[in-house]
mmCIF file of all heavy atoms in Angstrom:
data_model
loop_
_atom_site.group_PDB
_atom_site.id
_atom_site.type_symbol
_atom_site.label_atom_id
_atom_site.label_comp_id
_atom_site.label_asym_id
_atom_site.label_seq_id
_atom_site.Cartn_x
_atom_site.Cartn_y
_atom_site.Cartn_z
ATOM 1 N N VAL A 1 0.840 -1.203 0.000
ATOM 2 C CA VAL A 1 0.000 0.000 0.000
ATOM 3 C C VAL A 1 0.872 1.249 0.000
ATOM 4 O O VAL A 1 0.683 2.157 -0.820
ATOM 5 C CB VAL A 1 -0.961 0.002 1.216
ATOM 6 C CG1 VAL A 1 -1.717 1.324 1.310
ATOM 7 C CG2 VAL A 1 -1.927 -1.171 1.136
ATOM 8 N N ILE A 2 1.846 1.290 0.898
ATOM 9 C CA ILE A 2 2.724 2.458 0.960
ATOM 10 C C ILE A 2 3.534 2.574 -0.319
ATOM 11 O O ILE A 2 3.706 3.668 -0.865
ATOM 12 C CB ILE A 2 3.619 2.415 2.214
ATOM 13 C CG1 ILE A 2 2.746 2.600 3.462
ATOM 14 C CG2 ILE A 2 4.706 3.484 2.146
ATOM 15 C CD1 ILE A 2 3.490 2.563 4.772
ATOM 16 N N SER A 3 4.014 1.464 -0.851
ATOM 17 C CA SER A 3 4.779 1.486 -2.092
ATOM 18 C C SER A 3 3.964 2.101 -3.233
ATOM 19 O O SER A 3 4.476 2.913 -4.008
ATOM 20 C CB SER A 3 5.240 0.084 -2.472
ATOM 21 O OG SER A 3 5.988 0.104 -3.672
ATOM 22 N N ALA A 4 2.695 1.727 -3.324
ATOM 23 C CA ALA A 4 1.834 2.288 -4.375
ATOM 24 C C ALA A 4 1.640 3.787 -4.189
ATOM 25 O O ALA A 4 1.603 4.544 -5.167
ATOM 26 C CB ALA A 4 0.488 1.579 -4.383
ATOM 27 N N LEU A 5 1.544 4.236 -2.957
ATOM 28 C CA LEU A 5 1.316 5.659 -2.687
ATOM 29 C C LEU A 5 2.558 6.522 -2.909
ATOM 30 O O LEU A 5 2.439 7.712 -3.186
ATOM 31 C CB LEU A 5 0.797 5.852 -1.269
ATOM 32 C CG LEU A 5 -0.623 5.362 -1.038
ATOM 33 C CD1 LEU A 5 -0.932 5.275 0.449
ATOM 34 C CD2 LEU A 5 -1.626 6.250 -1.759
ATOM 35 N N VAL A 6 3.753 5.942 -2.775
ATOM 36 C CA VAL A 6 4.977 6.721 -2.984
ATOM 37 C C VAL A 6 5.572 6.512 -4.378
ATOM 38 O O VAL A 6 6.615 7.084 -4.694
ATOM 39 C CB VAL A 6 6.047 6.455 -1.896
ATOM 40 C CG1 VAL A 6 5.525 6.846 -0.530
ATOM 41 C CG2 VAL A 6 6.530 5.019 -1.923
ATOM 42 N N GLN A 7 4.908 5.706 -5.202
ATOM 43 C CA GLN A 7 5.401 5.516 -6.570
ATOM 44 C C GLN A 7 5.492 6.867 -7.260
ATOM 45 O O GLN A 7 4.572 7.676 -7.192
ATOM 46 C CB GLN A 7 4.476 4.595 -7.355
ATOM 47 C CG GLN A 7 4.958 4.362 -8.767
ATOM 48 C CD GLN A 7 4.025 3.451 -9.553
ATOM 49 O OE1 GLN A 7 3.097 2.872 -9.015
ATOM 50 N NE2 GLN A 7 4.279 3.361 -10.830
ATOM 51 N N ASP A 8 6.610 7.121 -7.892
ATOM 52 C CA ASP A 8 6.886 8.355 -8.628
ATOM 53 C C ASP A 8 7.104 9.563 -7.726
ATOM 54 O O ASP A 8 7.059 10.699 -8.189
ATOM 55 C CB ASP A 8 5.793 8.651 -9.663
ATOM 56 C CG ASP A 8 5.707 7.555 -10.706
ATOM 57 O OD1 ASP A 8 6.742 7.261 -11.329
ATOM 58 O OD2 ASP A 8 4.624 6.958 -10.860
ATOM 59 N N ALA A 9 7.347 9.328 -6.440
ATOM 60 C CA ALA A 9 7.737 10.431 -5.560
ATOM 61 C C ALA A 9 9.124 10.895 -5.976
ATOM 62 O O ALA A 9 9.959 10.094 -6.407
ATOM 63 C CB ALA A 9 7.744 9.973 -4.105
ATOM 64 N N VAL A 10 9.365 12.185 -5.863
ATOM 65 C CA VAL A 10 10.678 12.731 -6.165
ATOM 66 C C VAL A 10 11.263 13.315 -4.888
ATOM 67 O O VAL A 10 10.528 13.781 -4.008
ATOM 68 C CB VAL A 10 10.633 13.793 -7.294
ATOM 69 C CG1 VAL A 10 10.270 13.144 -8.612
ATOM 70 C CG2 VAL A 10 9.681 14.912 -6.964
ATOM 71 N N LEU A 11 12.585 13.264 -4.804
ATOM 72 C CA LEU A 11 13.262 13.768 -3.620
ATOM 73 C C LEU A 11 14.679 14.146 -3.951
ATOM 74 O O LEU A 11 15.323 13.501 -4.788
ATOM 75 C CB LEU A 11 13.250 12.725 -2.499
ATOM 76 C CG LEU A 11 14.043 11.442 -2.725
ATOM 77 C CD1 LEU A 11 14.548 10.925 -1.391
ATOM 78 C CD2 LEU A 11 13.187 10.394 -3.389
ATOM 79 N N PRO A 12 15.175 15.189 -3.313
ATOM 80 C CA PRO A 12 16.591 15.506 -3.498
ATOM 81 C C PRO A 12 17.426 14.486 -2.740
ATOM 82 O O PRO A 12 16.993 13.953 -1.712
ATOM 83 C CB PRO A 12 16.719 16.904 -2.887
ATOM 84 C CG PRO A 12 15.625 16.976 -1.872
ATOM 85 C CD PRO A 12 14.504 16.124 -2.421
ATOM 86 N N VAL A 13 18.611 14.215 -3.247
ATOM 87 C CA VAL A 13 19.489 13.259 -2.562
ATOM 88 C C VAL A 13 19.781 13.751 -1.143
ATOM 89 O O VAL A 13 20.005 12.951 -0.234
ATOM 90 C CB VAL A 13 20.776 12.998 -3.381
ATOM 91 C CG1 VAL A 13 21.730 14.175 -3.312
ATOM 92 C CG2 VAL A 13 21.451 11.714 -2.951
ATOM 93 N N THR A 14 19.712 15.054 -0.926
ATOM 94 C CA THR A 14 19.911 15.606 0.421
ATOM 95 C C THR A 14 18.744 15.280 1.345
ATOM 96 O O THR A 14 18.837 15.483 2.554
ATOM 97 C CB THR A 14 20.101 17.136 0.356
ATOM 98 O OG1 THR A 14 18.968 17.713 -0.304
ATOM 99 C CG2 THR A 14 21.383 17.504 -0.380
ATOM 100 N N GLY A 15 17.646 14.753 0.801
ATOM 101 C CA GLY A 15 16.489 14.360 1.594
ATOM 102 C C GLY A 15 16.590 12.951 2.153
ATOM 103 O O GLY A 15 15.633 12.450 2.740
ATOM 104 N N LEU A 16 17.739 12.296 1.965
ATOM 105 C CA LEU A 16 18.001 10.959 2.523
ATOM 106 C C LEU A 16 18.816 11.132 3.800
ATOM 107 O O LEU A 16 19.886 11.732 3.759
ATOM 108 C CB LEU A 16 18.810 10.106 1.549
ATOM 109 C CG LEU A 16 18.237 9.846 0.166
ATOM 110 C CD1 LEU A 16 19.277 9.155 -0.711
ATOM 111 C CD2 LEU A 16 16.976 9.027 0.261
ATOM 112 N N LYS A 17 18.318 10.623 4.906
ATOM 113 C CA LYS A 17 19.035 10.755 6.183
ATOM 114 C C LYS A 17 19.047 9.430 6.920
ATOM 115 O O LYS A 17 18.004 8.813 7.123
ATOM 116 C CB LYS A 17 18.363 11.804 7.079
ATOM 117 C CG LYS A 17 18.269 13.187 6.472
ATOM 118 C CD LYS A 17 19.620 13.826 6.327
ATOM 119 C CE LYS A 17 19.444 15.230 5.748
ATOM 120 N NZ LYS A 17 20.602 15.752 5.129
ATOM 121 N N PHE A 18 20.254 9.005 7.350
ATOM 122 C CA PHE A 18 20.383 7.802 8.162
ATOM 123 C C PHE A 18 20.913 8.204 9.526
ATOM 124 O O PHE A 18 22.012 8.755 9.646
ATOM 125 C CB PHE A 18 21.308 6.790 7.499
ATOM 126 C CG PHE A 18 21.506 5.527 8.307
ATOM 127 C CD1 PHE A 18 20.432 4.858 8.868
ATOM 128 C CD2 PHE A 18 22.760 4.992 8.485
ATOM 129 C CE1 PHE A 18 20.598 3.693 9.612
ATOM 130 C CE2 PHE A 18 22.953 3.818 9.203
ATOM 131 C CZ PHE A 18 21.869 3.176 9.775
ATOM 132 N N ASP A 19 20.137 7.938 10.561
ATOM 133 C CA ASP A 19 20.533 8.174 11.942
ATOM 134 C C ASP A 19 20.944 6.816 12.504
ATOM 135 O O ASP A 19 20.101 6.042 12.975
ATOM 136 C CB ASP A 19 19.353 8.771 12.707
ATOM 137 C CG ASP A 19 19.656 9.031 14.177
ATOM 138 O OD1 ASP A 19 20.707 8.577 14.681
ATOM 139 O OD2 ASP A 19 18.825 9.685 14.833
ATOM 140 N N ALA A 20 22.245 6.513 12.414
ATOM 141 C CA ALA A 20 22.747 5.194 12.824
ATOM 142 C C ALA A 20 22.532 4.955 14.319
ATOM 143 O O ALA A 20 22.240 3.826 14.726
ATOM 144 C CB ALA A 20 24.224 5.068 12.472
ATOM 145 N N ARG A 21 22.658 5.988 15.109
ATOM 146 C CA ARG A 21 22.498 5.837 16.561
ATOM 147 C C ARG A 21 21.096 5.350 16.916
ATOM 148 O O ARG A 21 20.925 4.493 17.778
ATOM 149 C CB ARG A 21 22.787 7.163 17.250
ATOM 150 C CG ARG A 21 22.702 7.093 18.739
ATOM 151 C CD ARG A 21 23.234 8.376 19.373
ATOM 152 N NE ARG A 21 22.956 8.356 20.777
ATOM 153 C CZ ARG A 21 22.124 9.190 21.391
ATOM 154 N NH1 ARG A 21 21.519 10.137 20.713
ATOM 155 N NH2 ARG A 21 21.927 9.093 22.680
ATOM 156 N N HIS A 22 20.089 5.904 16.249
ATOM 157 C CA HIS A 22 18.701 5.511 16.517
ATOM 158 C C HIS A 22 18.184 4.473 15.525
ATOM 159 O O HIS A 22 17.001 4.115 15.568
ATOM 160 C CB HIS A 22 17.791 6.745 16.512
ATOM 161 C CG HIS A 22 18.071 7.676 17.637
ATOM 162 N ND1 HIS A 22 18.801 8.836 17.485
ATOM 163 C CD2 HIS A 22 17.764 7.586 18.951
ATOM 164 C CE1 HIS A 22 18.903 9.436 18.643
ATOM 165 N NE2 HIS A 22 18.290 8.706 19.555
ATOM 166 N N ARG A 23 19.065 4.042 14.617
ATOM 167 C CA ARG A 23 18.745 3.016 13.610
ATOM 168 C C ARG A 23 17.498 3.408 12.806
ATOM 169 O O ARG A 23 16.580 2.622 12.623
ATOM 170 C CB ARG A 23 18.569 1.652 14.275
ATOM 171 C CG ARG A 23 19.833 1.191 14.934
ATOM 172 C CD ARG A 23 19.783 -0.118 15.634
ATOM 173 N NE ARG A 23 18.538 -0.832 15.614
ATOM 174 C CZ ARG A 23 18.442 -2.143 15.698
ATOM 175 N NH1 ARG A 23 19.510 -2.883 15.762
ATOM 176 N NH2 ARG A 23 17.269 -2.728 15.717
ATOM 177 N N ARG A 24 17.518 4.629 12.296
ATOM 178 C CA ARG A 24 16.362 5.180 11.590
ATOM 179 C C ARG A 24 16.829 5.797 10.266
ATOM 180 O O ARG A 24 17.783 6.564 10.233
ATOM 181 C CB ARG A 24 15.715 6.249 12.466
ATOM 182 C CG ARG A 24 14.486 6.877 11.910
ATOM 183 C CD ARG A 24 13.867 7.840 12.911
ATOM 184 N NE ARG A 24 13.440 7.104 14.099
ATOM 185 C CZ ARG A 24 13.710 7.493 15.358
ATOM 186 N NH1 ARG A 24 14.374 8.590 15.594
ATOM 187 N NH2 ARG A 24 13.274 6.766 16.361
ATOM 188 N N PHE A 25 16.118 5.438 9.194
ATOM 189 C CA PHE A 25 16.391 5.999 7.866
ATOM 190 C C PHE A 25 15.158 6.798 7.451
ATOM 191 O O PHE A 25 14.035 6.273 7.496
ATOM 192 C CB PHE A 25 16.666 4.886 6.852
ATOM 193 C CG PHE A 25 17.106 5.377 5.509
ATOM 194 C CD1 PHE A 25 18.418 5.759 5.285
ATOM 195 C CD2 PHE A 25 16.206 5.459 4.462
ATOM 196 C CE1 PHE A 25 18.830 6.212 4.038
ATOM 197 C CE2 PHE A 25 16.601 5.907 3.218
ATOM 198 C CZ PHE A 25 17.918 6.286 3.005
ATOM 199 N N ALA A 26 15.361 8.053 7.052
ATOM 200 C CA ALA A 26 14.235 8.913 6.691
ATOM 201 C C ALA A 26 14.435 9.506 5.305
ATOM 202 O O ALA A 26 15.563 9.768 4.880
ATOM 203 C CB ALA A 26 14.085 10.035 7.716
ATOM 204 N N LEU A 27 13.316 9.697 4.623
ATOM 205 C CA LEU A 27 13.308 10.314 3.294
ATOM 206 C C LEU A 27 12.248 11.413 3.290
ATOM 207 O O LEU A 27 11.129 11.208 3.742
ATOM 208 C CB LEU A 27 12.910 9.309 2.207
ATOM 209 C CG LEU A 27 13.695 8.028 2.066
ATOM 210 C CD1 LEU A 27 13.126 6.944 2.939
ATOM 211 C CD2 LEU A 27 13.670 7.579 0.633
ATOM 212 N N MET A 28 12.610 12.589 2.766
ATOM 213 C CA MET A 28 11.654 13.676 2.573
ATOM 214 C C MET A 28 11.221 13.630 1.115
ATOM 215 O O MET A 28 12.025 13.857 0.210
ATOM 216 C CB MET A 28 12.287 15.023 2.904
ATOM 217 C CG MET A 28 11.353 16.186 2.678
ATOM 218 S SD MET A 28 9.834 16.162 3.647
ATOM 219 C CE MET A 28 10.416 16.745 5.210
ATOM 220 N N LEU A 29 9.966 13.271 0.873
ATOM 221 C CA LEU A 29 9.443 13.016 -0.472
ATOM 222 C C LEU A 29 8.476 14.102 -0.928
ATOM 223 O O LEU A 29 7.769 14.696 -0.114
ATOM 224 C CB LEU A 29 8.657 11.701 -0.485
ATOM 225 C CG LEU A 29 9.317 10.447 0.053
ATOM 226 C CD1 LEU A 29 8.279 9.357 0.259
ATOM 227 C CD2 LEU A 29 10.386 9.995 -0.895
ATOM 228 N N ASN A 30 8.411 14.295 -2.232
ATOM 229 C CA ASN A 30 7.332 15.038 -2.868
ATOM 230 C C ASN A 30 6.555 13.981 -3.638
ATOM 231 O O ASN A 30 6.954 13.580 -4.723
ATOM 232 C CB ASN A 30 7.878 16.098 -3.830
ATOM 233 C CG ASN A 30 8.664 17.156 -3.099
ATOM 234 O OD1 ASN A 30 8.163 17.790 -2.191
ATOM 235 N ND2 ASN A 30 9.919 17.327 -3.479
ATOM 236 N N ARG A 31 5.465 13.500 -3.041
ATOM 237 C CA ARG A 31 4.779 12.372 -3.652
ATOM 238 C C ARG A 31 3.543 12.819 -4.426
ATOM 239 O O ARG A 31 2.845 13.754 -4.037
ATOM 240 C CB ARG A 31 4.423 11.298 -2.632
ATOM 241 C CG ARG A 31 3.363 11.630 -1.665
ATOM 242 C CD ARG A 31 2.951 10.425 -0.801
ATOM 243 N NE ARG A 31 1.775 10.787 -0.059
ATOM 244 C CZ ARG A 31 0.538 10.697 -0.528
ATOM 245 N NH1 ARG A 31 0.307 10.188 -1.722
ATOM 246 N NH2 ARG A 31 -0.484 11.097 0.188
ATOM 247 N N PHE A 32 3.312 12.128 -5.541
ATOM 248 C CA PHE A 32 2.098 12.329 -6.321
ATOM 249 C C PHE A 32 0.942 11.766 -5.500
ATOM 250 O O PHE A 32 1.059 10.688 -4.921
ATOM 251 C CB PHE A 32 2.206 11.606 -7.667
ATOM 252 C CG PHE A 32 1.037 11.848 -8.573
ATOM 253 C CD1 PHE A 32 0.965 12.998 -9.335
ATOM 254 C CD2 PHE A 32 -0.007 10.940 -8.641
ATOM 255 C CE1 PHE A 32 -0.126 13.237 -10.162
ATOM 256 C CE2 PHE A 32 -1.103 11.161 -9.463
ATOM 257 C CZ PHE A 32 -1.159 12.319 -10.227
ATOM 258 N N ARG A 33 -0.176 12.467 -5.463
ATOM 259 C CA ARG A 33 -1.331 12.012 -4.671
ATOM 260 C C ARG A 33 -2.180 11.051 -5.499
ATOM 261 O O ARG A 33 -3.229 11.398 -6.030
ATOM 262 C CB ARG A 33 -2.163 13.199 -4.193
ATOM 263 C CG ARG A 33 -1.428 14.033 -3.145
ATOM 264 C CD ARG A 33 -2.312 15.082 -2.510
ATOM 265 N NE ARG A 33 -3.303 14.421 -1.667
ATOM 266 C CZ ARG A 33 -4.603 14.679 -1.702
ATOM 267 N NH1 ARG A 33 -5.104 15.558 -2.532
ATOM 268 N NH2 ARG A 33 -5.431 14.042 -0.904
ATOM 269 N N TRP A 34 -1.716 9.803 -5.568
ATOM 270 C CA TRP A 34 -2.447 8.778 -6.323
ATOM 271 C C TRP A 34 -3.860 8.599 -5.792
ATOM 272 O O TRP A 34 -4.787 8.306 -6.559
ATOM 273 C CB TRP A 34 -1.688 7.452 -6.281
ATOM 274 C CG TRP A 34 -0.436 7.474 -7.080
ATOM 275 C CD1 TRP A 34 0.848 7.541 -6.602
ATOM 276 C CD2 TRP A 34 -0.327 7.456 -8.502
ATOM 277 N NE1 TRP A 34 1.740 7.567 -7.642
ATOM 278 C CE2 TRP A 34 1.044 7.507 -8.825
ATOM 279 C CE3 TRP A 34 -1.248 7.401 -9.550
ATOM 280 C CZ2 TRP A 34 1.510 7.500 -10.126
ATOM 281 C CZ3 TRP A 34 -0.780 7.397 -10.855
ATOM 282 C CH2 TRP A 34 0.580 7.443 -11.127
ATOM 283 N N GLU A 35 -4.041 8.754 -4.499
ATOM 284 C CA GLU A 35 -5.353 8.563 -3.894
ATOM 285 C C GLU A 35 -6.363 9.628 -4.335
ATOM 286 O O GLU A 35 -7.567 9.484 -4.119
ATOM 287 C CB GLU A 35 -5.244 8.525 -2.359
ATOM 288 C CG GLU A 35 -4.918 9.863 -1.700
ATOM 289 C CD GLU A 35 -3.444 10.215 -1.643
ATOM 290 O OE1 GLU A 35 -2.632 9.624 -2.398
ATOM 291 O OE2 GLU A 35 -3.083 11.101 -0.848
ATOM 292 N N ASP A 36 -5.883 10.701 -4.969
ATOM 293 C CA ASP A 36 -6.751 11.805 -5.404
ATOM 294 C C ASP A 36 -6.882 11.882 -6.927
ATOM 295 O O ASP A 36 -7.643 12.699 -7.437
ATOM 296 C CB ASP A 36 -6.187 13.127 -4.863
ATOM 297 C CG ASP A 36 -7.066 14.313 -5.170
ATOM 298 O OD1 ASP A 36 -8.229 14.312 -4.736
ATOM 299 O OD2 ASP A 36 -6.588 15.236 -5.859
#
C-alpha cells in the first residue's frame, strides 16, 4: 500500500538521512497524490 502511494515520488538526494544511533532511515518526499 505504501509502495503504491509513494510511486513516482521525487526527492533531493539531500532528503536521505540515516541516523545510525537511533537506527532510523528517513526520506523527505514530494509524492504524487495517487489517492486523489
